[in-house]
Amino acid sequence: MIIQRVVLNSRPGKNGVPVAENFRLEQSTIADTIQAGQVRVRTLYLSVDPYMRCRMNEDTGSDYLLPWQLSEVADGGGIGVVEESKHDNLAKGDLVTSFNWPWQTVAILDGSLLQKLVPQLVNGRLSYFLGPAGITGLTALLGIKEKGHVTLGANQTMVVSGAAGACGSLAGQIGRLEGCSRVVGIAGTDEKCSVLVQEMGFDAAINYKKGNVAEQLRELCPGGVDVYFDNVGGDISDTVISQMNHNSHIILCGQISQYNRDVPYPPPLPPDIEKIRKERNITRERFLVLNYMDKQEASILQLCQWIQEGKLKVRETVVEGLANIGAAFQSMMNGGNIGKQIVSVSK
């Protein structure tokens, strides 16, 4: 069977900025028959995420992420429909997902590695299983619950950097739902800041490209910062940490400002900021959602309930066509989107 697939065409280099041309669309073939335990699936949606930047390097810098290989098919979160099955628990027409879905139009996969989906849980918005009801939502919810130490009634203030991104936009809302009394986002355009406040219920949002971030933080968080959901690292995070309270908590989710630099993860803080962190007993622990997969099912159901009740607002940027996944990746890494970046492969 002839298919289309996207392979890694070139590496941007450890300090390089990825471009669409780092990926290549090509024709390939898969077997016409499947073996026992396998299913043939047609790809519907693929997820494009910041962590994938690390997979473009020969060394990802992580013990749980494998690098993509040159001229080999890329992979990530995906959703598809079963076209043929030789797996006992999956039938033709079932909708399924995997965290390691190949970027190709049709694939033969091990049925035991797939999860069956129930579209009614997300009001029929199937792509939500790659975002708010998938690994992105899990990262936001479990990060807050496991590392944020949010306590209902404690009058805590949360700051979220990269707040208009897929994870940040959910994290701010979840922080409120879990008990934070004030939520402030940091983003890179006035449009993003407006969406955060008007659509997603943030109390305020700072455009870090305008004005003095430190001064704006002091005005918007007069009682200091108790919980910081850190998606970006770098200068913005240093500014937030300098205004955090004693015994406060950093949820170390991502460091997107550092992804195009050859630095260890998580990057060390500057000496003066590290001194503040230690003196104020601020926790800053690496968070990996895969360490909490025993809580996945209950957490997904909670996220779906919030979606159904309209308590969790979702923004997606959907790009049509497998051929455009490289451009979608470049746009996402340049911060051009609000919310989750999705590629629709097949209707």
Side-chain angles (χ1 to χ4, degrees), residues 71-100:
S71 296
E72 295 293 333
V73 67
D75 68 300
I79 291 172
V81 59
V82 175
E83 293 191 324
E84 183 183 359
S85 175
K86 289 189 178 179
H87 188 277
D88 292 342
N89 296 326
L90 295 172
K92 183 177 179 180
D94 282 347
L95 296 163
V96 292
T97 186
S98 168
F99 191 60
N100 299 109

Side-chain angles (χ1 to χ4, degrees), residues 6 20 25 48 319-330 341 343-344:
V6 170
L25 180 72
V48 180
V319 174
E320 300 288 340
L322 185 63
N324 295 314
I325 199 167
F329 186 87
Q330 179 179 346
Q341 178 76 70
V343 174
S344 175

Side-chain angles (χ1 to χ4, degrees), residues 247-284:
N247 303 315
S248 55
H249 305 283
I250 300 168
I251 303 165
L252 194 58
C253 179
Q255 302 281 276
I256 195 168
S257 71
Q258 310 297 305
Y259 284 172
N260 296 323
R261 298 176 57 201
D262 184 15
V263 295
Y265 185 85
L269 295 171
D272 57 330
I273 302 299
E274 178 64 12
K275 182 181 179 184
I276 290 173
R277 189 195 69 78
K278 288 182 176 179
E279 288 176 347
R280 298 181 190 173
N281 193 35
I282 302 170
T283 64
R284 182 181 185 255

Side-chain angles (χ1 to χ4, degrees), residues 15 23 43 63 142 149 168 177 251 261:
N15 299 304
F23 299 96
T43 304
D63 54 5
L142 290 171
H149 303 278
L177 291 166
I251 303 165
R261 298 176 57 201

Side-chain angles (χ1 to χ4, degrees), residues 44 164 226 254 334:
L44 299 178
D226 302 295
N334 288 337

Side-chain angles (χ1 to χ4, degrees), residues 206-229:
I206 296 169
N207 181 348
Y208 70 86
K209 295 180 181 179
K210 285 186 175 181
N212 186 298
V213 174
E215 288 181 2
Q216 294 178 76
L217 267 178
R218 278 190 287 272
E219 292 175 7
L220 296 172
C221 307
V225 179
D226 302 295
V227 183
Y228 173 39
F229 200 98

Side-chain angles (χ1 to χ4, degrees), residues 132-182:
I135 198 74
T136 309
L138 281 174
T139 300
L141 176 57
L142 290 171
I144 288 168
K145 292 180 84 69
E146 299 297 329
K147 300 294 184 183
H149 303 278
V150 174
T151 305
L152 189 65
N155 197 32
Q156 291 165 297
T157 293
M158 171 186 278
V159 171
V160 183
S161 58
C167 195
S169 60
L170 298 174
Q173 298 178 75
I174 292 170
R176 171 85 75 200
L177 291 166
E178 286 293 303
C180 286
S181 59
R182 185 165 183 78

